[in-house]
Amino acid sequence: MSTFWSIWVIVLTVTNLALVTWILFANRKVAVDDQNEPENLTTGHVYDGIEEYDNPLPRWWFMLFVATLVFSLLYLAIYPGLGNFKGLSGWTSHKQLQHQEEQAQEVFKDTFGEYANMPIEEIAQHRDALKMGARIFANNCAVCHGADGGGNYGFPNLTDNYWRYGGSPEKILETLHNGRQGVMPPQEPVIGEQGVKDAAEYVLALSGQEHDAAMATRGKKIFGTVCMACHGMDAKGNQAIGAPNLTDDIWIYGSSREEIRHTIRNGRHNKMPAQKDKLREDKIRLVAAYVYSLSRQEEVEQ
């Protein structure tokens, strides 16, 4: 806060307190006992034959106002409230948050601590650990991947065995810690609109969908020149850079002709934020174990 605004806040606050104090004491009157001067008993206001008496506030009510003013002064002296004045206690919301986080860590250390150094595969065998991981997942991951981990448009399904960056415990931890930056550059400036259509037909052919054979033949040449650098010559993808497999039926952005053309023409840009600065290490391991267990369910069922 600049010096000007600091002074402005201080002057405004102190002035308001002074005015409230003056109004309170200016209206503090002693009850009139002189019955010989009845005009002193009223304010002079009369409405429909009803007179307004000029009685003082009850003592307890007046003292309550005084106590409120005293409390306000003490509060402004102890805590920051007057511009840049930090208060005598040195309290800040950041310090309080840090203190509460430290308290929470102490409380939950015994709960989460036992899994801190346990292998992910072993954590995935503990029912209580998976319950905690599921709750953390619901609070932090479900908004993108769905409450059941089944994914959404643009966000991968975590319950199958198809992984863009790898599904080993180490890769899952790497993804959670550092996040992922998925980028496919737009190809229309490189191959033109007709090239987009031809390449889309070849991608349809790769995944076994209906396609135009002549266009797919031309598209194969484009793929071998432009697309194979990321997706591989066999189009099975590259987990090192997150390039998806184009020969299966797993699609994040849809598998229709128009959606594939849109992807090739305009590219895609998606990001998973890193969780290492948001979640503690023990919580990340619980989430990793939960995600690992989701993908293992398919193997168990098969």
Side-chain angles (χ1 to χ4, degrees):
M1 184 184 299
S2 67
T3 303
F4 170 80
W5 287 113
S6 176
I7 295 174
W8 174 265
V9 170
I10 293 172
V11 171
L12 197 62
T13 303
V14 173
T15 300
N16 276 278
L17 283 174
L19 288 173
V20 170
T21 303
W22 175 78
I23 292 172
L24 177 63
F25 281 89
N27 286 277
R28 175 62 175 168
K29 296 182 179 180
V30 179
V32 178
D33 295 326
D34 188 2
Q35 300 298 325
N36 295 323
E37 298 182 16
E39 66 277 4
N40 290 336
L41 298 175
T42 68
T43 61
H45 299 160
V46 180
Y47 182 79
D48 199 18
I50 300 174
E51 296 181 296
E52 180 183 352
Y53 277 80
D54 189 14
N55 291 325
L57 288 173
R59 183 175 180 80
W60 67 269
W61 200 346
F62 174 79
M63 296 307 297
L64 189 61
F65 275 119
V66 173
T68 302
L69 291 170
V70 172
F71 173 82
S72 300
L73 294 173
L74 291 174
Y75 183 91
L76 291 173
I78 296 173
Y79 296 100
L82 292 174
N84 291 330
F85 176 64
K86 300 184 181 300
L88 300 176
S89 65
W91 178 92
T92 65
S93 57
H94 177 74
K95 289 181 181 179
Q96 181 172 343
L97 175 62
Q98 186 177 22
H99 176 66
Q100 291 175 341
E101 288 178 344
E102 291 173 354
Q103 287 181 321
Q105 288 179 9
E106 287 297 322
V107 171
F108 294 111
K109 182 169 61 176
D110 294 336
T111 304
F112 298 121
E114 63 177 299
Y115 305 111
N117 299 313
M118 190 180 295
I120 299 300
E121 298 94 326
E122 189 174 342
I123 298 175
Q125 303 301 318
H126 290 252
R127 184 179 298 272
D128 290 340
L130 291 182
K131 287 182 178 179
M132 289 187 286
R135 288 194 291 269
I136 300 170
F137 181 93
N139 290 332
N140 298 274
C141 315
V143 65
C144 294
H145 294 285
D148 60 351
N152 285 309
Y153 183 82
F155 301 97
N157 181 355
L158 303 179
T159 64
D160 55 29
N161 268 322
Y162 300 91
W163 297 88
R164 292 182 61 184
Y165 294 94
S168 67
E170 294 74 22
K171 284 296 181 181
I172 295 174
L173 282 173
E174 181 182 311
T175 298
L176 287 168
H177 278 119
N178 305 316
R180 296 294 183 183
Q181 188 82 25
V183 179
M184 174 178 167
Q187 300 300 321
E188 185 183 26
V190 179
I191 62 178
E193 180 59 26
Q194 186 58 49
V196 168
K197 294 178 179 179
D198 292 342
E201 293 301 314
Y202 179 63
V203 173
L204 288 170
L206 286 172
S207 56
Q209 301 184 70
E210 292 184 6
H211 61 281
D212 183 292
M215 295 176 68
T217 299
R218 295 195 300 268
K220 183 176 181 179
K221 295 179 180 179
I222 296 173
F223 187 93
T225 304
V226 179
C227 311
M228 65 164 289
C230 294
H231 294 281
M233 192 61 193
D234 57 0
K236 291 188 178 297
N238 184 351
Q239 289 187 348
I241 59 175
N245 184 351
L246 302 178
T247 65
D248 54 29
D249 60 349
I250 305 299
W251 301 86
I252 296 179
Y253 293 102
S255 59
S256 71
R257 178 174 279 104
E258 286 305 316
E259 287 172 319
I260 294 174
R261 287 180 179 179
H262 179 85
T263 298
I264 297 173
R265 181 184 301 114
N266 303 304
R268 297 290 184 180
H269 184 212
N270 209 347
K271 179 180 181 179
M272 172 184 165
Q275 301 298 312
K276 62 182 178 181
D277 296 327
K278 183 178 180 182
L279 299 176
R280 299 197 311 271
E281 177 63 25
D282 46 10
K283 289 187 177 182
I284 288 178
R285 296 184 70 80
L286 289 171
V287 175
Y290 176 69
V291 172
Y292 180 75
S293 72
L294 289 177
S295 64
R296 298 288 291 179
Q297 288 178 4
E298 185 176 277
E299 292 183 8
V300 173
E301 291 173 359
Q302 291 176 350

